[in-house]
Amino acid sequence: MDIIANNIDDLYKKAITSVFANGGQVTARGLEFRETCFQHLILTNPRARMIQNETRKFSQRFAVAEFIWMMSGKCELNQIEFYNKRMGDFSDNGIMLHGAYGPRLRHWNVTHGDVDQLESCLQRLKDDLYTRQAVIVIIDPSIDFTIKTKDVPCNNYLQFLYRDGKLNLMCYVRSNDLLLGFPYDIQHWCMLQE
């Protein structure tokens, strides 16, 4: 089912309403929650990405700091925890976040060396504006499913498609904390898209 809105506030309300109306009760890892599967959340105006809903206490300061932290390829808590003290709750060792997006975007380690997926993706778009290969992989089964960690990435795959004069961004999300994480994810990926 597609949920479409022109701004994040409307998209957020529609998505929450859908989960409560159509979501099923699930228990995983000892936690109970409601979920809907196979939904497409579509924000038609990516610049309307900052939530204004006063009930949802959104920290623009943290959102911008986290985006800069991600884009710089960092995973160390001491560089972001000032903006959100709860970040350490997701760390296995109190020093870094295992599933931080930054190193996965900017320093993907493979047998052939360090890969900056953002630069690579941008180059593919420059080489062929209509490519279907402008993708970024975030999840890494070799490190995310072989160890026990508190922090497995929720956003797993990004694809940029230039169509009809617009750069579109699709994000595959393995698990989405709609109430807490979703507004930040939308903010970050829309900023990257811009």
Side-chain angles (χ1 to χ4, degrees):
M1 175 171 76
D2 290 349
I3 298 174
I4 303 170
N6 188 52
N7 64 70
I8 183 63
D9 285 293
D10 290 345
L11 188 63
Y12 190 58
K13 288 177 198 171
K14 288 179 179 182
I16 290 171
T17 300
S18 176
V19 169
F20 280 107
N22 307 309
Q25 202 68 24
V26 177
T27 302
R29 292 185 294 125
L31 302 171
E32 289 188 20
F33 53 91
R34 294 185 73 77
E35 77 174 5
T36 55
C37 295
F38 313 113
Q39 286 201 304
H40 300 110
L41 304 181
I42 302 168
L43 180 61
T44 58
N45 179 7
R47 290 191 170 159
R49 61 183 169 244
M50 188 177 83
I51 197 161
Q52 304 296 315
N53 184 326
E54 291 185 17
T55 304
R56 172 62 181 93
K57 306 259 187 277
F58 182 82
S59 171
Q60 179 65 17
R61 194 175 111 195
F62 169 62
V64 171
E66 188 178 31
F67 179 75
I68 293 168
W69 181 66
M70 286 169 44
M71 294 302 107
S72 65
K74 303 298 182 185
C75 64
E76 294 82 15
L77 287 171
N78 67 353
Q79 298 167 344
I80 193 63
E81 214 168 15
F82 172 81
Y83 299 97
N84 184 337
K85 303 292 185 220
R86 292 203 53 228
M87 294 293 280
D89 295 346
F90 304 99
S91 175
D92 299 317
N93 62 10
I95 298 169
M96 59 171 274
L97 290 178
H98 168 83
Y101 299 135
R104 293 156 188 263
L105 298 174
R106 307 311 303 258
H107 305 289
W108 187 269
N109 290 310
V110 294
T111 55
H112 302 292
D114 194 31
V115 175
D116 185 330
Q117 291 195 88
L118 289 182
E119 285 297 323
S120 176
C121 187
L122 180 59
Q123 190 58 53
R124 284 192 296 281
L125 285 165
K126 286 179 179 178
D127 292 345
D128 178 3
L129 189 57
Y130 294 95
T131 185
R132 293 174 306 219
Q133 297 178 9
V135 297
I136 294 173
V137 177
I138 298 170
I139 194 84
D140 185 344
S142 71
I143 60 172
D144 292 326
F145 302 130
T146 59
I147 65 168
K148 187 170 176 73
T149 179
K150 296 179 190 177
D151 189 31
V152 174
C154 294
N155 295 257
N156 295 160
Y157 179 86
L158 304 173
Q159 182 175 12
F160 295 87
L161 277 177
Y162 183 82
R163 298 294 185 268
D164 300 320
K166 296 178 184 174
L167 181 65
N168 299 283
L169 171 58
M170 294 176 286
C171 178
Y172 179 84
V173 182
R174 169 191 65 77
S175 177
N176 193 332
D177 179 347
L178 189 58
L179 296 176
L180 297 176
F182 174 74
Y184 291 98
D185 292 339
I186 288 281
Q187 175 93 355
H188 296 143
W189 300 135
C190 287
M191 288 173 71
L192 178 61
Q193 179 184 13
E194 187 172 336

